[in-house]
Amino acid sequence: MRVTPKVEEAAWTVGLVPIHWYCPGKSAAVVMSVDDIFPGTSQSAYEAGGDRERGELGRLLWLLERHPQLQLTLFVTPDWRRISPVADRLWRHVPWLRDRVYLSKVLPKGTMDIRNHPEFVAFLNTMPRTEIAIHGLHHIHQGHSVSVEFQHQERAACAGMLAEAIRIFEESGLRHVRGLQPPGWDCGLALQQACRDVGIQWVTSARDIQTPVSKDAKTAMSGLSGVSMLFPERIAPNLVHISTNFQATSAPERAFDILDAGGILSIKAHISKNVPGHTHLDGVDDLYMNYLDRLFDDIEQRYGDAIDWTTLDRLATSPSASSPTLLPEEGHHATHRLSSRIAEDRRVKFFHRKTGARVDLPLFSAWAAKQSKPSRRPLRRQGST
Ligand SMILES: [Zn+2]
């Protein structure tokens, strides 16, 4: 972890400013992104998009169909190798060695290389209102932080990995934009510089689903800390950052507060709910899609046409994001945290839209419990009216 910025770093961070800009006539924006997409199927360790419309991507298609304004950003890993995020190998007890080997089982290179899965690529290319961006190269690292792919690598090494990721995307024929979600959230200085080297225009590193909402709120949870929680921000020349500020465990009031403040409601999901040794609280499942379906209904009713339903790439590459006509901000410095705090596990009763059963799950607020009206449509398209 860096302690004192060097001169070069201080120069690098000059001009850090939040960006307040939307389409004409819009007062706030909604974006949604989904991580950890690769060609894993239900025959693999876990499904992560490889079953296409029959798997988790089908749930996203349902949500897109329900909400014609909604746009998605899918973060795809070019050659996914992680099987479990849990460091459980015996070597983890051996100093020196444990930092130089993979501490969980990993897939051989090429197994999930998207160039070897043309049907998966073709399917992604046909998804409506969906952009694809980069989620690392292999999504693994030696040592205890299995998922944090960019840790101590030098700028050149980071640039090499990003260039390889882009090459795989291009050779596969996958349409994509020049954005990055670093696996494990962390985006240190070397990676920020490497992004610039390979032409990546924006990153989404910081996730903060706890700090109270205000226009001036700064991130203090996963990934970059001290960047704007509500607005795009240029963190280096030619590199814009957009935070994640909402997920399945967030109360709807947080979404409304963000929109009332004129911010970007930036929703995160992970494509697989359960992976070996870990459950994603924001995993794509019926309940989360159900929650977002209702939340989007409420946003549409409350705010009407005032919302810019857009994508991370469009926000980051908007004219104002590339112009310097922004308020300077004193004392700003994007910093890098290796630790992340786990979201508070608030449990409330919730009415399951599909089964009608009441379920206990770690999310929402009293709002969710109040939503007792029956389903207008089945959650999944197949099997009912
Ligand atoms: Zn990931």
Side-chain angles (χ1 to χ4, degrees):
M1 184 176 291
R2 293 184 296 127
V3 179
T4 307
K6 299 170 188 166
V7 173
E8 183 198 349
E9 295 177 18
W12 183 258
T13 57
V14 165
L16 305 180
V17 283
I19 296 162
H20 306 258
W21 184 89
Y22 303 115
C23 284
K26 307 294 184 184
S27 62
V30 176
V31 295
M32 178 174 170
S33 61
V34 187
D35 288 7
D36 291 1
I37 294 173
F38 66 96
T41 70
S42 44
Q43 308 305 310
S44 324
Y46 46 95
E47 206 275 329
D51 285 346
R52 307 190 296 278
E53 72 275 13
R54 299 182 310 281
E56 306 306 346
L57 291 177
R59 297 179 203 268
L60 296 178
L61 285 174
W62 177 85
L63 197 61
L64 284 166
E65 196 175 287
R66 291 273 298 156
H67 300 277
Q69 312 95 311
L70 177 64
Q71 320 275 324
L72 289 182
T73 303
L74 304 185
F75 286 107
V76 175
T77 301
D79 183 12
W80 180 278
R81 296 185 61 196
R82 195 189 77 187
I83 295 175
S84 167
V86 179
D88 58 1
R89 301 221 126 171
L90 275 179
W91 315 116
R92 72 187 185 278
H93 301 298
V94 184
W96 190 86
L97 181 63
R98 65 189 172 204
D99 297 323
R100 289 162 178 80
V101 296
Y102 294 118
L103 294 182
S104 70
K105 278 197 292 186
V106 299
L107 294 166
K109 260 187 185 178
T111 311
M112 292 293 167
D113 186 324
I114 62 170
R115 290 172 296 191
N116 300 326
H117 298 270
E119 290 178 343
F120 169 77
V121 170
F123 185 80
L124 290 179
N125 280 340
T126 61
M127 281 186 67
R129 309 191 307 279
T130 300
E131 68 184 19
I132 309 292
I134 301 164
H135 192 38
L137 175 59
H138 301 300
H139 209 296
I140 51 168
H141 198 281
Q142 298 92 344
H144 277 280
S145 299
V146 175
S147 300
V148 184
E149 187 162 21
F150 299 94
Q151 294 186 25
H152 309 296
Q153 295 97 327
E154 299 290 328
R155 175 177 178 169
C158 292
M161 293 165 71
L162 294 175
E164 175 70 1
I166 293 168
R167 190 170 69 89
I168 292 174
F169 270 17
E170 289 180 349
E171 289 180 0
S172 76
L174 183 64
R175 287 187 293 106
H176 60 280
V177 295
R178 292 286 176 136
L180 171 73
Q181 167 79 60
W185 306 100
D186 289 346
C187 189
L189 182 70
L191 181 57
Q192 293 175 34
Q193 293 170 327
C195 284
R196 194 182 183 197
D197 295 340
V198 300
I200 286 177
Q201 297 169 308
W202 54 269
V203 291
T204 51
S205 163
R207 174 184 58 165
D208 191 328
I209 51 173
Q210 295 180 328
T211 296
V213 173
S214 74
K215 279 183 185 293
D216 301 324
K218 302 294 181 193
T219 59
M221 195 178 148
S222 319
L224 285 172
S225 63
V227 290
S228 176
M229 192 173 77
L230 263 57
F231 301 100
E233 184 165 343
R234 191 177 302 109
I235 59 171
N238 303 331
L239 190 63
V240 170
H241 177 268
I242 299 175
S243 298
T244 291
N245 50 37
F246 193 92
Q247 68 167 32
T249 52
S250 306
E253 288 78 8
R254 183 173 180 83
F256 304 142
D257 288 348
I258 290 168
L259 297 175
D260 289 343
I264 291 158
L265 174 61
S266 180
I267 302 166
K268 179 63 77 184
H270 280 73
I271 192 70
S272 306
K273 179 77 180 175
N274 296 299
V275 303
H278 184 69
T279 296
H280 285 115
L281 293 178
D282 64 349
V284 170
D285 63 359
D286 282 353
L287 285 174
Y288 192 14
M289 296 302 100
N290 181 30
Y291 176 40
L292 292 178
D293 179 35
R294 294 191 171 203
L295 179 66
F296 294 161
D297 279 350
D298 273 16
I299 290 171
E300 288 155 10
Q301 284 174 13
R302 277 187 183 221
Y303 301 94
D305 293 337
I307 299 298
D308 191 7
W309 295 79
T310 185
T311 69
L312 292 165
D313 187 67
R314 261 183 265 157
L315 282 173
T317 59
S318 70
S320 82
S322 57
S323 81
T325 58
L326 303 158
L327 298 173
E329 188 178 357
E330 286 191 20
H332 190 127
H333 192 98
T335 55
H336 183 227
R337 290 169 60 117
L338 288 173
S339 62
S340 66
R341 295 202 295 271
I342 304 301
E344 191 182 342
D345 188 9
R346 284 180 294 166
R347 308 193 78 85
V348 296
K349 293 291 181 188
F350 184 71
F351 184 81
H352 192 299
R353 188 170 194 167
K354 186 178 180 185
T355 64
R358 292 197 82 90
V359 292
D360 188 35
L361 72 166
L363 42 80
F364 322 153
S365 67
W367 178 91
K370 280 189 288 183
Q371 308 300 305
S372 58
K373 61 185 178 182
S375 166
R376 284 156 298 174
R377 288 189 203 175
L379 188 58
R380 305 302 300 269
R381 286 168 298 167
Q382 64 268 34
S384 187
T385 53

